[in-house]
Amino acid sequence: MRRFKRTLAAVALATTVMAGTAGWAVGGEQTVVTGPPAGAAAAWRADGSLHRPLPDPATASPAGVARFFATLDDRQQQELAARHPLIVGNFDGAPLPLRYAANRRAVGAERDLQRARAADPALPAHERERAGERAGRCARLLAPGRQILAFDPRGRGRLAEVHGDLAAARRTAVVVPGSDIDLDSFDRTKDHYGTPAGMARSLLAETARQAPGTPTAVIAWAGYTTPVGVGLDAATGRLAESGAEQLDRFLSGLAALAPAAPPALFCHSYGSVLCGLAVHGLDGSEVADLVVLGSPGMRADSAADLHTGARIWATRRNGADWIGKVPNVRLFGLGHGADPTSAGFGARTVPSDGSHGHSDYFTPGTASLRSFAAITLGTPAGARQPRTAHRRTPGKPIGEDRSAIYRDGHDRPR
């Protein structure tokens, strides 16, 4: 009974301190946004310009989407993107340049809509101000050189952005953020290295410093509805479960592009809950490495319980990252389970020297950023093996888990 009471107390504490990347305000339950916009999807399905059915954006596989667009000439592709930017721009498996072009149209349309709302005297002042702010954020996304891979203005807004040349990249990474991230905060100037855009830029710069001759791309992926502040959304897996389905589809879309190597996945805070669910069962062909930082748990008792071929890494700055105060419990759907940085979990460890808080792991000069870049490049010399002898990589006998690490500490290239 005493142990049960301690567990209940821990869960209660978790619900009061669990948050994502920024802020301690109590958050309300979020409405999950999934699937294509209903109106855009209906218009797409009704399009008879090719005299054949178009792939259903709600059900078509990324590989099937890639095959479909491969049958079209450039004019046909461009016309579809012009008529249906919200579909083509978010269609995993569609050609990269086409998605970039479609999303420029979609972002531009949202900017114009919000500018009109900001100038509408019939709206309350606070709504006009809000519209003006969103129009400004959309305008920044349209700056020359930005490559928007996904854009959905519904709700709080979801998007993904590519940093680097994804088509030419030999190494790739995907950054998945935690709570409080949406269109408004995607690339805010405050807490820059705690935003997906800031994380991605910093990681790309560090990979260029370490291996200037290796073409690399980093994708900032904020393609799910994140929790806001502290509340049940942050302490439960509801949003993570929905986001995991979307991330799985996104990763399948990357695989359909036939990259030189599967990406490394970097998951911050609540994003690590989502990633733990998303990689379950993947054989390593879609994700080479899964790195969790500042994680409250992955809804798994051990790395082996993830049943994935991806290598699992974890880091947390003890004493500096407040997430360490969140109890690693899971009861009645609350909490996210074991600490991925604990010895018993079985993840490889990443040093975090130089970071000073929950969202500093991508700050230039930190040991964590240097390690993240090395993992992305396939050369993590400073990484350490799992700190437990009885855990093993799924599918390999005990004692053979060192096969992925060279004697000099470098990871074996895939």
Side-chain angles (χ1 to χ4, degrees):
M1 178 62 71
R2 182 176 300 176
R3 181 179 179 183
F4 180 71
K5 289 181 177 179
R6 285 200 302 267
T7 302
L8 285 180
V11 172
L13 177 60
T15 62
T16 61
V17 301
M18 179 110 31
T21 55
W24 293 81
V26 173
E29 186 175 66
Q30 299 300 299
T31 300
V32 175
V33 176
T34 60
W44 169 268
R45 296 186 185 103
D47 191 318
S49 61
L50 297 180
H51 306 292
R52 56 173 163 143
L54 305 182
D56 190 331
T59 61
S61 70
V65 172
R67 290 192 295 270
F68 165 76
F69 278 99
T71 67
L72 307 181
D73 59 32
D74 182 68
R75 178 186 61 80
Q76 291 172 320
Q77 291 186 5
Q78 295 298 330
E79 288 178 352
L80 283 178
R83 289 197 299 273
H84 311 284
L86 283 174
I87 298 298
V88 176
N90 295 287
F91 226 158
D92 292 311
L96 289 174
L98 193 66
R99 289 184 67 174
Y100 297 154
N103 282 317
R104 286 193 66 82
R105 287 180 176 273
V107 173
E110 178 67 10
R111 176 203 58 192
D112 294 345
L113 172 63
Q114 297 302 328
R115 282 178 174 174
R117 286 175 53 80
D120 186 351
L123 293 177
H126 71 277
E127 289 191 22
R128 294 199 303 272
E129 180 180 3
R130 168 75 173 157
E133 292 172 351
R134 174 161 284 206
R137 292 184 178 94
C138 289
R140 287 193 291 275
L141 292 177
L142 292 170
R146 300 197 73 166
Q147 303 172 119
I148 306 304
L149 187 58
F151 176 76
D152 186 342
R154 292 177 296 170
R156 291 161 48 209
R158 301 178 298 163
L159 67 157
E161 181 178 17
V162 174
H163 298 264
D165 187 346
L166 183 56
R170 295 192 57 79
R171 310 296 297 190
T172 59
V174 178
V175 174
V176 179
S179 298
D180 300 309
I181 296 298
D182 49 30
L183 178 58
D184 293 345
S185 55
F186 182 79
D187 57 357
R188 61 175 180 255
T189 55
K190 181 182 178 181
D191 187 31
H192 175 68
Y193 296 112
T195 70
M199 293 177 187
R201 292 188 188 106
S202 184
L203 179 56
L204 183 64
E206 180 62 20
T207 59
R209 187 189 71 80
Q210 292 186 20
T214 302
T216 304
V218 183
I219 303 168
W221 185 84
Y224 76 108
T225 302
T226 67
V228 173
V230 178
L232 284 177
D233 277 345
T236 66
R238 182 179 69 95
L239 298 183
E241 290 166 2
S242 173
E245 295 179 5
Q246 297 167 73
L247 180 59
D248 274 339
R249 183 178 179 83
F250 177 77
L251 293 173
S252 295
L254 290 184
L257 297 175
L265 194 58
F266 294 88
C267 307
H268 182 222
S269 195
Y270 188 84
S272 67
V273 184
L274 182 158
C275 290
L277 297 172
V279 302
H280 192 91
L282 295 185
D283 62 7
S285 63
E286 292 181 326
V287 177
D289 298 272
L290 168 57
V291 187
V292 298
L293 44 145
S295 173
M298 301 175 70
R299 305 226 140 201
D301 293 330
S302 69
D305 286 342
L306 295 172
H307 299 290
T308 177
R311 291 174 291 257
I312 309 299
W313 311 76
T315 188
R316 187 184 70 228
R317 184 61 170 166
N318 291 328
D321 187 341
W322 60 262
I323 203 73
K325 298 178 181 178
V326 175
N328 291 105
V329 296
R330 189 176 175 193
L331 183 67
F332 304 138
L334 297 175
H336 302 301
D339 177 4
T341 65
S342 66
F345 192 84
R348 293 171 170 85
T349 58
V350 175
S352 57
D353 300 349
S355 62
H356 300 291
H358 185 55
S359 55
D360 290 340
Y361 295 99
F362 285 85
T363 301
T366 58
S368 50
L369 177 62
R370 291 193 295 272
S371 297
F372 295 164
I375 291 169
T376 300
L377 295 166
T379 58
R384 294 193 292 274
Q385 277 294 101
R387 293 178 291 164
T388 175
H390 66 278
R391 298 294 183 191
R392 65 185 180 91
T393 300
K396 292 191 177 182
I398 295 174
E400 293 188 10
D401 200 34
R402 298 190 65 83
S403 63
I405 305 290
Y406 286 135
R407 290 181 179 178
D408 62 2
H410 285 67
D411 208 53
R412 188 180 302 280
R414 291 208 164 208

